[in-house]
């Protein structure tokens, strides 16, 4: 008997499910949770809808997200280990919920975003890869 195939990311509801599940994992994580909640004091009611728009723009080209994500991250107390954990949790979340071409693209885009942020923050050594 084969395991049921997971759906690919194809709708705005899929984006919402991905983002909500991912940030649930982030909030429970001992490394990332304090950065988001204690240091940045993220307003989740505001942040999550922005992340739906961001990932809709990145994956579907919806152009729903208007803004520049990098400046908001510049002053955070993060190191390479934070980016490595972020990629791990993002990849884990996608693998938990989805499979398919768009799911793979989402993982690749997340790695690219993490690498660009690290480069801009002066944390660049060698590029991160999906774990």
């Amino acid at each position: 008997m084969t395991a049921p195939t997971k759906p690919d990311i194809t709708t705005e509801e899929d984006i919402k499910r991905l983002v909500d599940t991912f940030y649930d994992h982030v909030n429970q994580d001992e490394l990332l949770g304090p950065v988001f909640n204690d240091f940045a004091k993220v307003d989740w009611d505001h942040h999550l809808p922005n992340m739906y728009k961001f990932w809709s723009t990145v994956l579907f080209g919806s152009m729903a997200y208007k803004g520049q994500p990098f400046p908001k991250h510049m002053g955070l107390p993060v190191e390479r280990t934070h980016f490595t954990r972020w990629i791990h949790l993002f990849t884990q979340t996608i693998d938990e919920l989805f499979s398919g071409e768009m799911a793979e693209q989402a993982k690749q885009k997340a790695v690219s975003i993490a690498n660009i942020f690290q480069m801009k923050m002066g944390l660049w050594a060698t590029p991160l890869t999906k774990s």
Side-chain angles (χ1 to χ4, degrees):
M1 178 163 194
T2 60
T5 304
K6 295 174 193 162
D8 202 355
I9 302 168
T10 59
T11 68
E12 297 294 333
E13 274 304 307
D14 293 337
I15 297 280
K16 185 177 185 311
R17 185 173 172 218
L18 167 61
V19 168
D20 288 346
T21 304
F22 171 65
Y23 282 106
D24 283 346
H25 292 319
V26 165
N27 277 309
Q28 295 171 30
D29 187 79
E30 70 274 358
L31 181 63
L32 297 180
V35 173
F36 281 83
N37 295 305
D38 300 335
F39 185 84
K41 298 189 185 322
V42 170
D43 174 356
W44 292 106
D45 290 336
H46 178 75
H47 186 66
L48 292 175
N50 278 337
M51 292 298 91
Y52 307 150
K53 291 175 188 174
F54 177 80
W55 283 105
S56 175
T57 298
V58 169
L59 296 177
F60 299 153
S62 70
M63 304 307 286
Y65 180 79
K66 307 287 186 225
Q68 298 178 347
F70 178 71
K72 297 170 187 153
H73 295 81
M74 194 59 197
L76 295 177
V78 294
E79 299 174 1
R80 247 179 108 70
T81 55
H82 293 87
F83 285 97
T84 301
R85 180 74 57 88
W86 187 88
I87 289 298
H88 173 76
L89 290 178
F90 194 84
T91 299
Q92 172 188 313
T93 302
I94 289 180
D95 290 343
E96 177 184 320
L97 301 173
F98 303 103
S99 68
E101 185 178 327
M102 190 63 72
E104 291 304 312
Q105 282 185 33
K107 291 188 278 189
Q108 291 169 354
K109 300 261 186 189
V111 169
S112 293
I113 290 165
N115 284 333
I116 289 167
F117 276 33
Q118 287 180 94
M119 185 178 65
K120 287 183 171 187
M121 293 173 133
L123 301 172
W124 187 264
T126 56
L128 293 175
T129 58
K130 293 185 301 188
S131 57

